[in-house]
Amino acid sequence: MLRDAVRSLAEAKIAPHAAAVDEEARFPREALDALTANDLHAVHVPEEYGGAGADALATVIVIEEVARVCASSSLIPAVNKLGSLPVILSGSEALKKKYMAPLAKGEAMFSYCLSEPDAGSDAAGMKTRAVRDGDFWVLNGVKRWITNAGESEFYTVMAVTDPEKRSKGISAFVVEKSDPGVSFGAPEKKLGIKGSPTREVYLDNVRIPADRMIGEEGTGFATAMKTLDHTRITIAAQALGIAQGALDYAKGYVKERKQFGKPIADFQGVQFMLADMAMKIEAARQLTYAAAAKSERNDSDLTFQGAAAKCFASDVAMEVTTDAVQLLGGYGYTRDYPVERMMRDAKITQIYEGTNQVQRIVMARNLP
Ligand SMILES: Cc1cc2nc3c(=O)[nH]c(=O)nc-3n(C[C@H](O)[C@H](O)[C@H](O)COP(=O)(O)OP(=O)(O)OC[C@H]3O[C@@H](n4cnc5c(N)ncnc54)[C@H](O)[C@@H]3O)c2cc1C
């Protein structure tokens, strides 16, 4: 029922704008409005904080169905979870009450600020500093590649509170867009997910009350990594949705397109490609849903499963979207058809929330 409801909404209210959002590289406002009106913009927020209380699998299905028509728009529910999960996992009761209610109501979005210009895969090498000043912390630094920066009201920011201790000297904070000293860089000009703004976040003597720290001092990096264990599954879902959208489009096209006097779907060479695409998608779906169940139960092998789901599903999305372009021939290579957008959008799923090389490092360190 949830899938049917989200699919209908996505096809009616999000799909019609997907090409323009990409072409104009603009924020998918129509998608945000439609998702918010149907309480699908941040489904993961627990009911006790005013949210829809969707479990990890339901959240995955929402993201998958939105990504099937518009990958940029699927980053609204996905990044709302990424940005706010540190607070849900490690924040005080007061922080949860304060920040989850506006998120659940659709009054505010949440972004996640881990990466920096010189600290990507080696996130613990970050330089952003937080220095204690009485009942306040003062933050200085640059966060890079922040999804939905400028659109979000709230930001989970990881910053160094003790430079001697590397990852154990990093703490997490909630920073608000309206805090004096917060500003944003120009939107990055990207290959894909062009509707999702990616900008730098500048922190210039941002003075915030001490109770905005998420969890204990020095636990920010652990919280950031624990968050990714759960949210990599949402990127797997995004990849899955993009791949399914490409397969669905190609499936329809090959029945219509005629060469050598018959639909190209009649050629076994084309059929074998479609079979492989569907097989890979189904394998990615099973792995992703199993990982979502593990996320919900907080199983001990979640770190491996989350990395495996993200890595596998994103590699599948890249292969399947590339094959979809192939099945449309020259037409697939043009912006008159959606599959080239899907191929460009798929690429990012192999890069963010840790590149797929990093996922393989994570898996190797946590072999089942
Ligand atoms: C569109 C977009 C949105 C993003 N959104 C966010 C966000 O909202 N919040 C956030 O905090 N970050 C975000 N990111 C950042 C993203 O997570 C990083 O780009 C990613 O982790 C890689 O870091 P990097 O770009 O610095 O690449 P690098 O770390 O410089 O890596 C370059 C290459 O080296 C490889 N490499 C590095 N180390 C190793 C190793 N030990 N072994 C093998 N290979 C290695 C990488 O896999 C990669 O192929 C986003 C990025 C993009 C492009």
Side-chain angles (χ1 to χ4, degrees):
M1 279 170 65
L2 175 68
R3 183 188 300 283
D4 288 348
V6 183
R7 183 167 291 196
S8 304
L9 179 81
E11 285 183 344
K13 305 271 174 149
I14 300 175
H17 307 286
V21 157
D22 174 66
E23 194 74 36
E24 296 158 24
R26 65 170 177 84
F27 183 73
R29 192 72 50 201
E30 301 89 346
L32 177 62
D33 292 347
L35 291 169
T36 307
N38 290 277
D39 216 3
L40 293 168
H41 58 289
V43 281
H44 68 285
V45 177
E47 283 173 351
E48 54 190 303
Y49 304 110
D55 65 17
L57 180 58
T59 305
V60 153
I61 290 170
V62 170
I63 294 166
E64 178 188 347
E65 287 300 325
V66 176
R68 183 175 158 273
V69 301
C70 177
S72 290
S73 300
S74 72
L75 282 163
I76 294 169
V79 173
N80 274 337
K81 179 163 181 176
L82 173 67
S84 63
L85 200 59
V87 177
I88 295 172
L89 289 175
S90 309
S92 65
E93 212 38 50
L95 272 191
K96 288 185 205 175
K97 285 212 169 83
K98 180 171 178 194
Y99 289 106
M100 290 311 119
L103 174 64
K105 283 188 202 138
E107 295 165 356
M109 297 204 296
F110 234 112
S111 289
Y112 176 90
C113 306
L114 178 67
S115 308
E116 297 187 358
D118 296 320
S121 300
D122 181 15
M126 69 177 62
K127 297 200 184 84
T128 295
R129 267 300 253 140
V131 176
R132 182 101 197 203
D133 181 16
D135 287 341
F136 293 84
W137 286 92
V138 180
L139 275 65
N140 277 287
V142 179
K143 291 294 174 179
R144 197 178 170 97
W145 311 117
I146 306 309
T147 300
N148 291 342
E151 295 291 337
S152 293
E153 289 300 319
F154 306 140
Y155 298 80
T156 289
V157 173
M158 270 52 76
V160 177
T161 43
D162 184 346
E164 306 287 297
K165 294 188 181 157
R166 217 175 125 86
S167 67
K168 293 204 166 55
I170 291 170
S171 305
F173 301 87
V174 179
V175 171
E176 300 183 14
K177 181 182 176 177
S178 57
D179 287 329
V182 174
S183 62
F184 306 99
E188 304 292 345
K189 298 180 188 133
K190 307 193 296 289
L191 174 73
I193 55 159
K194 292 189 181 194
S196 172
T198 314
R199 299 168 71 176
E200 285 188 325
V201 176
Y202 304 122
L203 304 159
D204 183 12
N205 282 318
V206 177
R207 201 176 154 77
I208 56 172
D211 62 10
R212 293 245 213 110
M213 183 181 272
I214 303 170
E216 298 294 310
E217 189 176 338
T219 62
F221 194 75
T223 295
M225 293 303 116
K226 207 162 140 201
T227 297
L228 295 177
D229 282 346
H230 294 275
T231 59
R232 280 173 179 150
I233 300 159
T234 69
I235 301 305
Q238 184 188 35
L240 190 55
I242 297 170
Q244 186 69 56
L247 174 62
D248 289 349
Y249 196 87
K251 228 164 53 181
Y253 184 87
V254 297
K255 288 184 197 142
E256 300 291 323
R257 175 70 175 168
K258 288 199 174 85
Q259 290 292 284
F260 303 97
K262 47 180 158 177
I264 57 171
D266 285 0
F267 299 118
Q268 200 176 48
V270 166
Q271 292 168 7
F272 281 5
M273 282 180 74
L274 289 162
D276 277 343
M277 290 157 79
M279 174 182 69
K280 288 174 191 170
I281 290 174
E282 197 47 36
R285 179 170 288 118
Q286 296 302 331
L287 188 57
T288 303
Y289 291 3
K294 285 177 183 294
S295 160
E296 195 56 35
R297 293 191 300 259
N298 212 8
D299 282 357
S300 58
D301 57 352
L302 172 63
T303 302
F304 174 87
Q305 292 283 344
K310 188 270 193 195
C311 187
F312 189 81
S314 60
D315 284 350
V316 162
M318 202 65 243
E319 290 166 18
V320 166
T321 54
T322 305
D323 283 351
V325 170
Q326 189 71 18
L327 285 172
L328 267 73
Y331 297 98
Y333 200 64
T334 69
R335 292 212 289 273
D336 297 331
Y337 292 83
V339 289
E340 66 82 36
R341 165 170 54 83
M342 294 166 175
M343 182 177 159
R344 287 186 284 105
D345 288 346
K347 185 63 209 172
I348 191 60
T349 63
Q350 295 181 306
I351 296 174
Y352 57 19
E353 296 208 20
T355 66
N356 280 4
Q357 290 99 316
V358 167
Q359 303 310 314
R360 288 177 166 95
I361 296 171
V362 171
M363 282 187 274
R365 284 185 187 151
N366 294 277
L367 289 175

